Amino acid sequence: MPNPKLTRACAALALSLVAGTALAAEKKLTIGVADALTGGGAVYGLPQANAVKMAAEEINAAGGIKVGADNYKLDVIAYDDKANPTEATNAVRKLIDRDGVKYILGFCCSGSTSAVASFIGNEKAVMLVGNAAERSITTKKIPNLVRTRPPADYTGQAAGTFIARKGQKRIAVLGALDVGFYAQYVDSVERELKKAGGEIIAREVFSLKDRDMTPQLTKIRGLNPDAILVVGYVEPAAFVYRQAVELGMKIPRYGFTSGSEEQFLRVTTSEQMEGVWDLRPTELTLLSASKNGVAYHANYTKKFNASPSPSSPYAYDQVYALKAAIEAAGTVDNTEAVAKALRNLPVPSQVVMQYQPVDGKMFDSNGQAYTSNGAFQWQKGQWVFVEDLPSDSKAYSQFLSTLN
Amino acid sequence: MLIEILQQTINGLAIGGVYVLIALGLTTVFGILGIAHFAHGSISMFGGYLTFFLVTAQGLPVLAAIPLALLAGILLGLLVEILAYRPVRNANHINAFIVALGLTMMVEGLNLQLFGHEQVVIPTGLSKVFRLGGITVPELRLYVILAAILLVVAMMIFVERTKTGQAIRAVAENRDAAILMGVNVKTIPLIVFSMSTALGVAAGIMVGALFAIAPGIGEGLVVKGFAVLILGGLGSFPGAILGGTVLGITESIAAGFISSAYKDVIAFVVMILVLLFRPQGLLGRAP
């Protein structure tokens, strides 16, 4: 005959365990993504949105985000902002006002991101910016905004030193120079070139939708530069590389584009790309990736049946940074506490990019993270990491703090 | 300098050829039926996408895919006339205008659903570059220029030398008189739309091979097409040919010698200047 007291005690224990588990398992945290899922910016935005979804699934599979006694499973809502400021504003308003989202990730492109950054400071929400490289996004001291990608001029400085070291003096630039951060990158390159006695002899422009670059390239060819520097989105940049070869230009080609092999090969052939340099943050390239990077590449490829773009881990890392910050803050509701925790966060162990922490923290006081910069070269069908470009994140962070 | 001018002219000829084909399609429909066929750009993109699909997903050689896409263009043109424009043919002009706008959105949506949002480039395997002195001409551009010339000549022969062509011109000139002369005016819109759409598809294939096809590109093309129409003279075939060529070369030379930042602006300034002195366009008839 079982002891009735023991039976009751066991039943109570079992009930409390079941109830506890049920409560922890049922909690859901919805995070939003505002990014370019279609249009010209989609080469960056779509892989970012995919990366957020993948990170969320990984976190959920590993038990979710622990906040006190609760476990939160992540649910992702993604809206297409088409890299357009108005669409981005609408997407974020919809996420905050209609869907009740407090954490918004993604943000590949500077124009749309700047539009959202202009009002996010007034919202009880946290904005995590990915690939958008316009410097001013993190100079406005917005307390609830952080960015995983370093600003363009931080990379431009390192790129200028690299080009000067290669001995090229007369550089022709062709790029999306009406986009602020590309112009900032070129200005930084020019400053470094001048220090070494070099100069930029032409600044030719293309727009996001341009595909015929032969007029600009013909003009550049007539100036006999030592090298060309191409700054812009992957697709127009790929056309520049292809058409430069078609026009018989055999000078070194440098770029700042962050496109994957797959993205370039949709437009050019590997032969037309051979020897092209990409001077950019040390983003995901399989040959230089960390253990996390290799796993990320494999998982992403398996899940989406396409290689991840080099910049996509900026968004993947946002999710893990957010997880760590929520766990550190011990709340999902108090966005101010989470934003503060982000600013004090050491680099989480799960991130893919190789961050250079400032004073041991992933984000500096401006909310800006820094990765190392690298020189990548197209060799026989793939981007090969050739060398690190010396970059001083602490010095740049101090400089960034002086700007408004 | 001379080499640069020649090179820029050749650069401009390829894109000019595309403009000519787009403008010819538009001018045929506008001149004969009085319809501003805004969906023409999206339909030409459909042709490019279809060719890409036939080559990459069905494994057809590009030379086999092109005639199939042109044939699909002809059929699509018939459908557009029967289903979209015929019901409003005798209604107020604004009705056809609204139908044209709606059709543009429909075809854009259809392209997006069928072929996705990614930019695609039609693989041709043509990567040789011909060099003559200091001038370089990529093989693909040369074939695009030649194909554009061929299509324009074929169309001119059709319009000028065949009975059907004469009937089309008669309807364009005076519809009532054409009816009195026994022209079957009911079939003319069908022929016009199929011809126009086939030309648009050809232009879409050229854009897809030379550059890329992506959502939104068709809109830009149709704007340029209408600009060419105005520059050359509304309803004038030779005007469309001259206007397209002039616009292509002007864009190229403007980008090369003035500023690439204002490439489009300069081209449109030239257009405005021409219209100041010849309001009827380069080859249009004065009212």
Side-chain angles (χ1 to χ4, degrees):
Chain A
M1 181 81 183
N3 181 339
K5 273 188 184 169
L6 186 63
T7 309
R8 274 199 297 274
C10 286
L13 182 65
L15 193 68
S16 68
L17 279 173
V18 168
T21 311
L23 274 176
E26 290 308 315
K27 295 249 176 174
K28 185 178 89 173
L29 175 65
T30 303
I31 59 174
V33 173
D35 226 325
L37 308 182
T38 60
V43 285
Y44 303 107
L46 191 61
Q48 284 210 145
N50 288 342
V52 170
K53 287 175 191 160
M54 192 170 94
E57 281 176 23
E58 286 172 9
I59 289 170
N60 290 345
I65 300 179
K66 288 188 197 313
V67 180
D70 297 325
N71 264 2
Y72 283 87
K73 294 287 173 79
L74 293 174
D75 184 35
V76 181
I77 302 177
Y79 290 135
D80 182 10
D81 70 16
K82 299 185 175 73
N84 173 291
T86 311
E87 298 272 359
T89 303
N90 291 342
V92 170
R93 286 258 58 99
K94 213 154 66 172
L95 284 167
I96 295 173
D97 300 335
R98 195 185 69 182
D99 303 319
V101 167
K102 291 189 172 71
Y103 303 100
I104 307 167
L105 299 82
F107 300 104
C108 71
C109 301
S110 292
S112 47
T113 305
S114 297
V116 177
S118 69
F119 68 82
I120 200 72
N122 303 322
E123 303 293 333
K124 288 202 179 309
V126 177
M127 176 177 180
L128 295 100
V129 179
N131 184 61
E134 164 68 41
R135 184 176 63 196
S136 65
I137 292 168
T138 44
T139 58
K140 292 172 186 150
K141 319 285 184 281
I142 303 166
N144 55 342
L145 180 151
V146 294
R147 172 166 58 179
T148 44
R149 182 196 175 129
D153 57 338
Y154 169 71
T155 309
Q157 198 176 3
T161 313
F162 179 81
I163 296 170
R165 225 176 49 218
K166 288 275 175 190
Q168 276 108 31
K169 299 280 184 199
R170 302 173 74 248
I171 310 298
V173 174
L174 177 51
L177 299 178
D178 51 345
V179 177
F181 74 90
Y182 286 124
Q184 287 163 9
Y185 180 95
V186 172
D187 289 344
S188 283
V189 169
E190 187 172 36
R191 271 194 296 275
E192 297 307 311
L193 278 176
K194 276 185 177 166
K195 283 182 199 166
E199 59 177 333
I200 286 179
I201 58 165
R203 283 179 186 247
E204 291 298 316
V205 178
F206 58 70
S207 79
L208 186 58
K209 285 188 175 176
D210 276 351
R211 296 295 179 264
D212 185 8
M213 314 298 178
T214 50
Q216 296 95 314
L217 282 168
T218 301
K219 184 179 179 183
I220 287 173
R221 190 178 69 173
L223 297 171
N224 286 320
D226 295 336
I228 54 169
L229 172 63
V230 182
V231 295
Y233 286 11
V234 181
E235 287 156 348
F239 278 99
V240 173
Y241 293 140
R242 167 176 144 181
Q243 289 163 6
V245 173
E246 288 174 349
L247 284 172
M249 296 171 79
K250 288 177 181 161
I251 50 177
R253 293 166 291 166
Y254 296 101
F256 174 55
T257 59
S258 295
S260 68
E261 287 88 351
E262 205 173 298
Q263 288 169 333
F264 276 102
L265 290 176
R266 280 186 206 136
V267 173
T268 63
T269 63
S270 185
E271 292 73 33
Q272 288 168 331
M273 284 295 291
E274 190 63 25
V276 168
W277 289 94
D278 207 20
L279 309 176
R280 56 174 164 85
T282 312
E283 296 166 345
L284 181 73
T285 299
L286 206 46
L287 294 173
S288 69
S290 60
K291 201 173 131 199
N292 286 353
V294 174
Y296 171 82
H297 194 285
N299 294 340
Y300 185 106
T301 308
K302 190 177 167 196
K303 186 170 171 56
F304 300 106
N305 202 25
S307 303
S309 63
S311 60
S312 61
Y314 287 126
Y316 179 85
D317 294 349
Q318 290 172 341
V319 189
Y320 279 101
L322 179 64
K323 174 185 185 286
I326 289 174
E327 286 176 346
T331 175
V332 293
D333 297 319
N334 186 345
T335 52
E336 277 177 35
V338 174
K340 208 170 164 187
L342 274 168
R343 292 276 207 283
N344 291 310
L345 199 69
V347 179
S349 60
Q350 303 94 332
V351 297
V352 168
M353 297 299 198
Q354 293 157 34
Y355 294 96
Q356 295 183 327
V358 176
D359 297 329
K361 293 165 187 170
M362 179 172 178
F363 299 101
D364 67 6
S365 57
N366 307 298
Q368 180 62 59
Y370 301 91
T371 61
S372 56
N373 293 306
F376 296 80
Q377 192 176 33
W378 189 283
Q379 294 174 7
K380 295 177 183 159
Q382 61 184 353
W383 288 116
V384 174
F385 175 74
V386 177
E387 62 179 270
D388 261 320
L389 299 177
S391 321
D392 187 342
S393 58
K394 189 160 184 180
Y396 185 88
S397 172
Q398 283 164 356
F399 159 71
L400 199 65
S401 302
T402 63
L403 303 174
N404 285 311
Chain B
M1 179 65 117
L2 180 66
I3 285 178
E4 203 175 322
I5 293 172
L6 286 173
Q7 182 71 61
Q8 295 290 16
T9 305
I10 287 170
N11 296 342
L13 272 179
I15 189 68
V18 173
Y19 292 158
V20 167
L21 294 184
I22 290 282
L24 276 177
L26 286 172
T27 207
T28 318
V29 172
F30 188 83
I32 294 162
L33 306 171
I35 296 169
H37 183 34
F38 296 117
H40 193 60
S42 312
I43 287 174
S44 73
M45 287 300 104
F46 172 82
Y49 274 125
L50 183 65
T51 310
F52 174 79
F53 170 77
L54 292 172
V55 173
T56 57
Q58 302 301 312
L60 287 182
V62 75
L63 284 178
I66 292 172
L68 284 178
L70 290 175
L71 188 66
I74 289 170
L75 295 175
L76 187 64
L78 296 177
L79 276 178
V80 164
E81 201 283 321
I82 293 167
L83 298 177
Y85 291 116
R86 187 173 289 186
V88 293
R89 190 190 297 165
N90 297 320
N92 197 308
H93 277 309
I94 190 77
N95 295 24
F97 182 81
I98 298 297
V99 166
L101 289 180
L103 194 64
T104 308
M105 286 185 249
M106 254 182 69
V107 179
E108 277 287 328
L110 191 74
N111 285 343
L112 213 56
Q113 289 299 320
L114 290 178
F115 306 108
H117 58 269
E118 288 203 349
Q119 163 182 279
V120 298
V121 179
I122 299 170
T124 58
L126 301 172
S127 58
K128 269 192 231 161
V129 178
F130 301 115
R131 289 189 174 81
L132 189 68
I135 299 165
T136 53
V137 188
E139 187 182 14
L140 178 59
R141 279 184 184 244
L142 185 65
Y143 293 147
V144 163
I145 296 168
L146 291 177
I149 293 171
L150 193 72
L151 283 167
V152 167
V153 170
M155 186 184 161
M156 293 309 289
I157 290 172
F158 175 73
V159 172
E160 297 288 336
R161 303 279 166 87
T162 65
K163 268 207 154 171
T164 314
Q166 282 173 347
I168 291 172
R169 283 188 292 134
V171 173
E173 198 76 29
N174 189 326
R175 186 182 161 87
D176 295 331
I179 292 169
L180 290 173
M181 298 306 290
V183 173
N184 183 356
V185 290
K186 280 186 184 166
T187 57
I188 297 297
L190 285 171
I191 296 165
V192 165
F193 264 100
S194 53
M195 192 167 73
S196 156
T197 310
L199 286 173
V201 165
I205 296 169
M206 289 174 182
V207 171
L210 271 178
F211 310 120
I213 311 158
I217 289 192
E219 295 161 22
L221 265 186
V222 92
V223 169
K224 290 280 171 72
F226 274 110
V228 168
L229 231 68
I230 295 164
L231 180 65
L234 280 173
S236 160
F237 292 148
I241 297 165
L242 183 64
T245 313
V246 166
L247 187 68
I249 294 173
T250 306
E251 275 185 4
S252 190
I253 287 183
F257 291 95
I258 305 172
S259 166
S260 49
Y262 302 108
K263 189 172 73 169
D264 285 342
V265 177
I266 294 160
F268 280 98
V269 165
V270 169
M271 193 184 93
I272 291 166
L273 286 176
V274 169
L275 294 181
L276 273 177
F277 295 101
R278 280 191 66 83
Q280 69 273 33
L282 287 170
L283 298 179
R285 273 179 290 182

